[in-house]
Amino acid sequence: MANKDGRRRFGSIRKLPSGRFQIRYPGPDGRIRTGESTYATERGADKALSLVEAKLITGDWTDPQRSKVKLGEYAEKWIRERTSLRPRTVEIYRGLLRRYIVPHLGNVPLGKIETAVVREWRATLVGKGVGASEVAKSYRFLRAVLMTAADDRIIPRNPCRIKGAGEEKPEERPVLTVAQVFKLADLMPERLRALLLLATFASLRWGEVAALRRMDLDLRAGTVSVRQQHVELDTGELIVGPPKSRAGVRTVAIPSGIIPALEQHLAKFTDPGDHALIFTGARGGIFRRSNFRRAANWADATRKIGFPGLHFHDLRHTGNTLAAGSGASLRDLMERMGHDSVRAAMIYQHSTAQADRKIADAMNSMIEEAGTDK
């Protein structure tokens, strides 16, 4: 729109040799942009310029040039720029991108991705038999990428607006009784028995129990401290790093009923020295998940107790369930399990110590009642 003196207050319009009109205007960063379309009349160009100005004022403007960037290229850049992501998370994101997003949407410009396109993409994955969990993970990843594109004003809004598409409904995992845990432990080779008991009754993840060192276990106090974890990438690379979340750094009380097994293990299978790994392979090397399954003859052992298909992580699920059965509060359970929360774990470290001991004592009573205290 022009002022009374004929000068335009925003942008400019010029007539091209073809006779059509083209608009130019400053973006929010001060750079001059050229309109994507040309117009048959100056009046039409003026209306288009007014619309651009209105969008800039309301914050609805998007950069037409940047919206031409292909989704695959932008998503890869999105991953690279998140330097705080853990290596395993980066691996998962790149896997989702490679398997489920790039083949269908990788070459689509960001500005062309609308809700209908996302809906069709998701339906295609489901139709091809991709698991519900993988579909939900892929959708959440795509939603996060496009949310950044919307924040960067590359697209006007996030097109991932399908209700419930990012929700996972995992199948119910089995929960063992205390007696079944001990039965499974007794089927393990001797050097693995204590590992299985500690992982279960302290609610530890595989990476956490595999990374434990002598200094992490205080049998006089009856506690185990989680300070780090082992992360195995699909490439075979093993990374030693902090636990999964800030709340994952924790000290957990353990039932006295499994301390004899831990004492025997330390004496027979763990090297001296505070930094010696508690659980290792037969030759003293770092335990990997695949090596454990072979050494434990896991498939045969789980079948014998009536739980074929049992995952190692189900032991943590069992421990969590037993802990919840002790009557502990949600806050205390979250501290024990190492789940993230809105508060720093250290704030409650002192106040939860007694509550955590009560959890361990309650679990110990279950062990004694089951008649499996060995």
Side-chain angles (χ1 to χ4, degrees):
M1 182 179 292
N3 294 323
K4 291 181 180 180
D5 60 5
R7 289 186 301 175
R8 194 166 300 281
R9 72 181 186 191
F10 173 77
S12 62
I13 297 175
R14 67 172 179 171
K15 190 173 184 179
L16 299 174
S18 64
R20 294 182 69 82
F21 293 86
Q22 183 183 64
I23 64 172
R24 302 182 76 220
Y25 59 91
D29 55 3
R31 289 173 50 212
I32 300 299
R33 265 87 171 171
T34 300
E36 294 293 291
S37 303
T38 59
Y39 305 89
T41 65
E42 185 174 7
R43 183 176 178 79
D46 188 71
K47 286 183 178 179
L49 203 55
S50 296
L51 181 59
V52 170
E53 183 182 19
K55 287 184 176 181
L56 283 165
I57 292 172
T58 60
D60 293 331
W61 179 85
T62 58
D63 190 332
Q65 288 298 320
R66 295 178 70 193
S67 68
K68 293 179 180 179
V69 174
K70 304 294 177 61
L71 173 62
E73 177 185 341
Y74 185 81
E76 182 58 43
K77 180 173 177 285
W78 185 93
I79 295 172
R80 287 198 309 271
E81 290 178 344
R82 269 133 193 88
T83 55
S84 62
L85 292 178
R86 295 177 181 274
R88 179 56 182 158
T89 303
V90 170
E91 190 174 61
I92 290 172
Y93 283 167
R94 287 203 167 119
L96 295 173
L97 182 62
R98 182 182 67 255
R99 293 192 302 273
Y100 305 126
I101 296 177
V102 166
H104 306 281
L105 301 175
N107 288 322
V108 179
L110 292 174
K112 298 291 185 182
I113 300 177
E114 300 175 346
T115 300
V117 173
V118 175
R119 188 181 297 111
E120 182 180 354
W121 160 75
R122 181 175 175 274
T124 298
L125 294 184
V126 173
K128 288 187 173 182
V130 178
S133 178
E134 290 288 274
V135 172
K137 286 183 174 71
S138 300
Y139 179 85
R140 291 200 303 272
F141 171 62
L142 179 63
R143 182 174 60 194
V145 170
L146 294 179
M147 180 58 72
T148 301
D151 291 342
D152 289 346
R153 294 187 175 181
I154 298 174
I155 55 177
R157 70 172 189 171
N158 192 337
C160 291
R161 309 175 73 83
I162 304 172
K163 188 175 180 179
E167 297 175 5
E168 288 187 67
K169 297 177 181 178
E171 60 177 310
E172 187 68 28
R173 296 307 304 167
V175 176
L176 277 62
T177 64
V178 170
Q180 288 167 335
V181 172
F182 273 89
K183 185 176 179 180
L184 181 61
D186 290 340
L187 290 171
M188 297 291 105
E190 187 181 4
R191 70 180 304 115
L192 302 182
R193 185 173 185 273
L195 183 155
L196 187 138
L197 293 175
L198 184 60
T200 304
F201 294 113
S203 295
L204 301 181
R205 302 174 176 92
W206 166 260
E208 294 171 345
V209 73
L212 290 176
R213 299 180 181 274
R214 267 190 181 270
M215 64 182 179
D216 299 323
L217 200 57
D218 186 342
L219 296 185
R220 286 189 178 182
T223 62
V224 58
S225 296
V226 179
R227 312 173 202 265
Q228 60 185 16
Q229 68 170 348
H230 289 173
V231 178
E232 298 177 49
L233 303 183
D234 292 339
T235 59
E237 181 183 1
L238 185 81
I239 297 174
V240 180
K244 191 173 183 180
S245 66
R246 184 172 57 180
V249 179
R250 63 199 188 277
T251 296
V252 179
I254 55 180
S256 59
I258 70 170
I259 288 180
L262 292 168
E263 290 174 333
Q264 293 167 17
H265 179 90
L266 291 174
K268 191 168 184 178
F269 299 110
T270 304
D271 290 339
D274 288 346
H275 293 277
L277 286 170
I278 296 175
F279 303 109
T280 62
R283 298 180 180 179
I286 294 176
F287 239 146
R288 291 175 178 267
R289 192 188 300 265
S290 57
N291 294 342
F292 168 80
R293 289 183 63 86
R294 286 195 296 270
N297 197 8
W298 185 257
D300 186 54
T302 53
R303 179 182 55 78
K304 285 181 178 178
I305 67 166
F307 285 89
L310 186 78
H311 299 164
F312 185 88
H313 196 74
D314 293 333
L315 300 179
R316 172 174 158 83
H317 179 52
T318 292
N320 290 345
T321 303
L322 294 174
S326 71
S329 70
L330 177 61
R331 188 187 73 190
D332 295 331
L333 288 172
M334 292 182 74
E335 290 291 322
R336 183 177 182 86
M337 298 171 194
H339 285 178
D340 242 337
S341 65
V342 295
R343 63 199 182 284
M346 292 298 293
I347 294 176
Y348 296 96
Q349 185 179 31
H350 178 73
S351 63
T352 59
Q354 284 188 323
D356 196 37
R357 168 49 58 192
K358 289 180 181 178
I359 294 174
D361 289 343
M363 293 169 72
N364 191 61
S365 297
M366 298 179 198
I367 293 173
E368 292 176 349
E369 289 173 7
T372 53
D373 186 1
K374 299 183 180 180

